[in-house]
Amino acid sequence: MRNQSLFSFPTRCHRFFSQSVTHDLYDPPFSPFGKGDGSANLPLKSDLPFHFRYSYSETDPSIKPISFRESPKFSPFGPSRLDRKWTGTSAPVNHPVDLNRIQEERNRILGAPLEDHEVSQLVERYRHSDCSRQINLGKGGVTHNTLDDIHNHWKKAEAVRIKCLGVPTLDMNNICFHLEDKSGGKIIYRIINILLLYRGRHYDPTKRPLIPLMLWKPYAPIYPKLVNNVIQTLTHHQTKQLRNKGFNSHPLIKLTRNGVYVNVVERVREAFKTEEVVRLDCTHVGTTDCKKIGVKLRHRI
């Protein structure tokens, strides 16, 4: 009897794996769904008219990665949980998009523009630091799961307070654009790094859009090198001289980790009117944040 059970074990294993392993390139083998986990409603189908990305404000879709740190077949939304294919950087929309109809629906939800006294009431209610309806935006900027947090706050509040810190504060216009574009709301208050996002007069929480959550943060792809060894139109010797000049110059600004960098761009622009090279002290800023700061300054100056 013991020998018979040993010989039957490989057959059972082969039968189990042959039934559980999938041959879909974008659906790697995972443990099967348990009972009561909502698998009957999968895959999720969202009507949102844009490509799903981990961060909407801190990534540039026009720049293509040269490689990936993890296989693109592993979707951060989970296996078979979304009707869109993950490409390694985004989950593209797979249905036709009618921009005119979407804009009309957003205008209907927003309703008539707020009067001055209505804006003042909302600002006084939600602008304070002890407001319970607050979302903190860090170095990830406007992430995909942030959209779900916004709609969760909109269930019981007309507006949500958003506090921005770190690299995204270099371009607050970009933050405001993606918040309004992806959520459908309206920025009614903005001062330094504090925003108030209004949901609209005719917002119905029961008809909020379906936003599939990312179950984990995907690894960032590998992009082309940011700083070249030799600057274009300059020789290697001239590039080395400029770098040495920058290293020996007095720092214009000392940046702190997760600080507010709203005025950095303007100060660098003013410094370039009289200086050829400007140095920023990023001693207390992480290496990844330094690279992101360099990218934003290069595109905005």
Side-chain angles (χ1 to χ4, degrees):
M1 181 64 68
R2 180 180 301 176
N3 295 336
Q4 183 179 0
S5 63
L6 290 175
F7 281 108
S8 62
F9 177 73
T11 305
R12 295 176 182 174
C13 287
H14 175 73
R15 186 180 305 167
F16 171 77
F17 284 111
S18 63
Q19 294 177 357
S20 61
V21 176
T22 178
H23 299 286
D24 188 0
L25 178 63
Y26 293 93
D27 190 14
F30 284 84
S31 59
F33 299 112
K35 295 182 179 180
D37 60 355
S39 58
N41 299 325
L42 300 177
L44 299 174
K45 298 181 180 180
S46 178
D47 295 331
L48 292 175
F50 51 84
H51 300 349
F52 293 163
R53 309 176 68 89
Y54 170 73
S55 177
Y56 297 106
S57 61
E58 305 307 303
T59 56
D60 188 356
S62 62
I63 302 178
K64 304 301 180 182
I66 58 178
S67 183
F68 297 96
R69 292 184 171 89
E70 65 178 356
S71 176
K73 64 183 180 181
F74 292 98
S75 171
F77 295 95
S80 303
R81 291 180 176 269
L82 187 64
D83 64 337
R84 303 185 184 187
K85 299 296 184 181
W86 180 254
T87 63
T89 57
S90 65
V93 60
N94 54 6
H95 57 82
V97 177
D98 188 353
L99 297 180
N100 294 330
R101 182 186 63 82
I102 293 173
Q103 188 61 40
E104 291 177 358
E105 179 64 17
R106 289 185 175 182
N107 293 337
R108 184 193 67 81
I109 295 175
L110 289 176
L114 294 175
E115 301 291 340
D116 292 341
H117 69 277
E118 294 176 321
V119 174
S120 300
Q121 291 177 357
L122 291 174
V123 169
E124 183 62 27
R125 187 186 308 171
Y126 296 106
R127 72 178 178 87
H128 301 284
S129 59
D130 58 349
C131 177
S132 60
R133 303 298 175 184
Q134 175 173 306
I135 296 176
N136 296 324
L137 291 188
K139 61 182 179 180
V142 182
T143 61
H144 179 77
N145 289 353
T146 301
L147 304 180
D148 185 71
D149 295 337
I150 291 174
H151 285 279
N152 289 337
H153 282 292
W154 280 349
K155 288 181 181 180
K156 298 182 180 180
E158 294 182 81
V160 58
R161 183 178 189 263
I162 299 177
K163 183 179 181 180
C164 306
L165 296 173
V167 180
T169 57
L170 282 170
D171 192 354
M172 290 299 297
N173 292 332
N174 183 45
I175 292 290
C176 295
F177 168 77
H178 284 287
L179 285 174
E180 293 183 343
D181 181 65
K182 302 302 185 297
S183 68
K186 182 70 174 179
I187 300 292
I188 60 174
Y189 176 80
R190 170 181 170 180
I191 179 169
I192 309 178
N193 64 323
I194 303 299
L195 306 173
L196 289 185
L197 185 62
Y198 176 62
R199 67 181 185 179
R201 292 183 182 271
H202 308 294
Y203 178 83
D204 186 359
T206 61
K207 298 181 180 179
R208 55 170 288 181
L210 175 62
I211 303 177
L213 294 179
M214 283 192 175
L215 304 183
W216 63 82
K217 178 182 177 180
Y219 284 98
I222 301 176
Y223 289 97
K225 191 175 181 180
L226 174 62
V227 180
N228 298 322
N229 294 330
V230 180
I231 303 176
Q232 294 181 357
T233 69
L234 295 179
T235 64
H236 178 75
H237 180 69
Q238 292 174 334
T239 302
K240 187 176 180 179
Q241 285 183 334
L242 284 177
R243 286 175 180 165
N244 291 334
K245 182 179 179 181
F247 290 147
N248 298 326
S249 63
H250 184 74
L252 176 66
I253 309 172
K254 184 177 181 180
L255 302 181
T256 58
R257 183 179 180 182
N258 291 332
V260 180
Y261 311 145
V262 175
N263 299 324
V264 171
V265 174
E266 292 298 328
R267 293 191 61 179
V268 172
R269 286 176 179 171
E270 290 295 327
F272 273 148
K273 294 180 180 180
T274 57
E275 300 290 340
E276 188 178 13
V277 180
V278 176
R279 177 189 171 193
L280 302 180
D281 187 355
C282 301
T283 306
H284 302 286
V285 181
T287 304
T288 304
D289 289 349
C290 286
K291 294 180 180 179
K292 293 180 179 180
I293 291 173
V295 171
K296 286 184 175 291
L297 289 178
R298 184 176 65 179
H299 284 83
R300 295 203 61 195
I301 296 178

